[in-house]
Every structure is written in structure tokens, then in C-alpha cells.
Amino acid sequence: MKEINIRDVKENPVKLISDGWGLLTAGKESGWNTMTISWGAIGELWGRDVAICFVRPQRYTKEFMDSEDYFTLCFFGEEYKKALQICGTKSGRVIDKAAETGLSPVFSDNTTYFEQAKLVLICKKVACQDMNPAGFIDPSIKDEYKKGDYHTTYVGEIIKVLEK
């Protein structure tokens, strides 16, 4: 993998996240978890290049997002869609996601990413906040939260981008 500037990424970030999905991973070799994402944003905030991701309270990855300073977003080719589906439907509390999917974790830069990723964003957490439904202007958004399990929003400064 080679290091590039986030502004040189050729793929559309909306397509990367919503259509291609990705893996949000936090933790180090001593303990980590990953989960599939299809919601998120990449842009600029507070004069920094950032990635914004959302994690529901019941997700095992949230424990690592809350306790660690770094996280990664990894994006893959279509051939990894089944692996990402497993990472989005099975809990790391119950299975070893690397063993189950064949994905190879790389422990670097205070976090974890995957060798098979075509694009890796390494992020330093700079802010997090629980969603407040009082801020939903469009009432249909509440339909996403029938269980009341509002996401925590995490903002990470993109400190390194790796591309195959």
C-alpha cells in the first residue's frame, strides 16, 4: 500500500460508503473489533480533513470507539461483499471476524486495518456526541430508531490514507 493525500482519492466517497460499504475498526492487537458501515461522511470540519461515522449503542465496536483514540475506515472491492456482510450481521463478541471472513488484520498507527482493503483511512478521534432526536427536523428520521437506539456520532481527523 502507498500513502496518498485524501484529496487524491479517485473514488466518490458517497459511493464508497453507501454503495460499497466499508469496515469501521477500532482497537489494537490486544483487542479490537470491526463492523460494516453504509452510513458516514468524508469532508472538512474545523479546518481538518475528517471522516464521520455513526455507531449504535449495542454494537461491540462502540466499546472500542469509546476507549481508543484512533479508528480506521477500510474499503474493499466487490469480491469482499460477503465478508462485509458477515462483519455487519455477526457480533465480535461471539465470533472471530478475521477467522470467519479470512480478512487479515494489520496492527499499525495505534489501530487496526485490513490487508485486503483497497483504501484505508486512519483517523484520530477528535469529537463524539450522542444523537439527540430533538434535533431531527424531518420526523421520518425517527423511523430509523424504533428501538430508541440512537447512534453516537464520531468525528475523526484523517491522519493517513493508504491505497493499493
Side-chain angles (χ1 to χ4, degrees):
M1 297 197 94
K2 68 178 180 175
E3 188 170 348
I4 64 167
N5 187 296
I6 186 64
R7 295 165 192 273
D8 294 329
V9 171
K10 293 173 182 56
E11 292 192 61
N12 178 313
V14 174
K15 285 184 177 184
L16 277 173
I17 295 168
S18 66
D19 298 343
W21 307 346
L23 290 179
L24 165 64
T25 309
K28 301 176 193 138
E29 192 166 6
S30 59
W32 59 277
N33 197 56
T34 191
M35 62 177 262
T36 303
I37 60 163
S38 62
W39 292 2
I42 297 170
E44 186 176 331
L45 184 62
W46 306 308
R48 306 168 194 219
D49 295 325
V50 298
I52 303 169
C53 51
F54 307 91
V55 181
R56 290 189 194 262
Q58 66 267 35
R59 297 302 297 258
Y60 185 42
T61 302
K62 186 173 187 319
E63 295 176 26
F64 296 95
M65 289 295 289
D66 289 341
S67 66
E68 298 292 335
D69 293 329
Y70 294 86
F71 64 89
T72 61
L73 296 178
C74 294
F75 301 96
F76 301 81
E78 277 294 316
E79 66 272 25
Y80 292 99
K81 203 72 161 188
K82 183 176 179 183
L84 273 64
Q85 187 174 30
I86 291 168
C87 291
T89 58
K90 308 268 186 193
S91 174
R93 290 183 185 103
V94 178
I95 67 164
D96 176 338
K97 290 185 180 183
E100 187 85 15
T101 62
L103 295 175
S104 304
V106 175
F107 305 105
S108 179
D109 296 282
N110 296 305
T111 191
T112 305
Y113 63 89
F114 296 96
E115 184 180 302
Q116 294 89 343
K118 65 180 180 180
L119 181 69
V120 177
L121 307 182
I122 299 173
C123 303
K124 183 173 190 333
K125 191 170 58 176
V126 295
C128 66
Q129 184 170 345
D130 293 334
M131 280 192 177
N132 180 345
F136 298 159
I137 296 167
D138 179 343
S140 71
I141 295 171
K142 290 183 182 172
D143 293 343
E144 296 285 341
Y145 299 99
K146 294 189 187 326
K147 296 178 185 176
D149 56 345
Y150 300 102
H151 288 89
T152 298
T153 304
Y154 296 91
V155 180
E157 181 176 3
I158 300 168
I159 60 165
K160 187 185 275 188
V161 179
L162 302 171
E163 182 180 65
K164 275 201 173 159

